[in-house]
Amino acid sequence: MREPGIAWWPGSIPAGTITHQLGNIMDLFTTSLTLAGVKPPQDRIIDGIDLSSILLDQSAPIIDRPIWYYRGNEMMAVRVGAYKAHYWMWTEFGQDPLKFTFCRGQYIKNVTVHDQIDHTDKPILFNVNKDPGEKYIVAPKSKEYKTAMAIIDPIVKEHKANLEPGVPSLNYCDAAVQNWAPPGCEDLNYCLPVPDSNPKLCIWGH
């Protein structure tokens, strides 16, 4: 969920520049509209923000904004500034812990877990500027934790209070759209027959 992004626009975006601005895929919509000279729709809430000033001007100030992490309809975590707060932990699901182990170096006690664990009363906090691998939990009794959560908690409460749930367009499953016969499967003699399309509402375990 935390990857570098590359923007390329010769003559408009200065070459070789770096920004530490946080962004997500939803920002592409709003940013693209601005670059095209089109105003975003005013009859609905637009989740993405306009990052055109960041792209076009290296000296533009960083836009302070949260990044939300959802799994299904559940808000799992939020990134605010240097901190990421986990309100739920669930690294792997549908696995038998007795038969499945995490890769070497990936297991972190009480963080990488097989079960969905509720931490909404006291979120697990990481300083991802210092600890991008999220291996060292900020102690809940520390001043750093209390200071960070005093900022994060009101942001989360406002977000949930103003959230308008929609009908997810990706909540429908259709086995026919899976990659049964990818290019090159003929050479491997491993092309599978494509089933008939039968879209249905997915049942998620979260």
Side-chain angles (χ1 to χ4, degrees):
M1 301 292 288
R2 185 173 57 252
E3 303 292 341
I6 299 175
W8 183 74
W9 189 4
S12 295
I13 298 177
T17 56
I18 297 176
T19 177
H20 295 285
Q21 173 67 52
L22 291 176
N24 64 37
I25 194 70
M26 293 184 290
D27 299 332
L28 293 178
F29 174 73
T30 315
T31 303
S32 298
L33 290 182
T34 298
L35 295 175
V38 179
K39 291 184 177 181
Q42 302 298 309
D43 61 341
R44 69 204 71 180
I45 295 175
I46 303 297
D47 294 311
I49 66 173
D50 175 18
L51 297 179
S52 61
S53 61
I54 303 293
L55 295 175
L56 303 177
D57 183 3
Q58 186 179 8
S59 63
I62 295 293
I63 301 172
D64 188 17
R65 55 86 64 89
I67 296 288
W68 307 99
Y69 298 81
Y70 272 83
R71 187 173 249 177
N73 295 325
E74 190 65 62
M75 192 205 80
M76 305 292 286
V78 60
R79 166 81 184 269
V80 177
Y83 295 94
K84 183 177 178 184
H86 289 261
Y87 287 75
W88 290 83
M89 279 294 184
W90 194 18
T91 307
E92 295 290 344
F93 61 95
Q95 301 282 358
D96 183 349
L98 298 178
K99 299 179 181 179
F100 177 85
T101 57
F102 294 97
C103 295
R104 181 173 295 180
Q106 287 189 340
Y107 175 74
I108 305 169
K109 186 178 180 180
N110 298 326
V111 174
T112 45
V113 293
H114 292 284
D115 299 316
Q116 191 172 4
I117 301 176
D118 185 354
H119 292 283
T120 52
D121 288 340
K122 190 171 288 295
I124 293 179
L125 186 70
F126 296 96
N127 184 328
V128 290
N129 280 1
K130 297 179 180 178
D131 175 28
E134 299 180 31
K135 294 184 176 181
Y136 306 101
I137 297 172
V138 177
K141 293 183 180 180
S142 68
K143 180 180 179 181
E144 181 183 11
Y145 182 95
K146 295 175 182 177
T147 300
M149 291 309 302
I151 296 173
I152 295 173
D153 274 338
I155 293 174
V156 171
K157 289 178 181 177
E158 181 182 6
H159 168 72
K160 290 187 173 183
N162 296 320
L163 187 65
E164 295 184 10
V167 179
S169 60
L170 299 179
N171 261 17
Y172 283 86
C173 297
D174 188 353
V177 304
Q178 298 181 30
N179 210 6
W180 297 95
C185 65
E186 299 89 350
D187 299 334
L188 300 174
N189 194 28
Y190 200 68
C191 297
L192 299 175
V194 180
D196 294 333
S197 177
N198 182 29
K200 58 184 179 180
L201 190 65
C202 297
I203 304 300
W204 298 95
H206 52 277

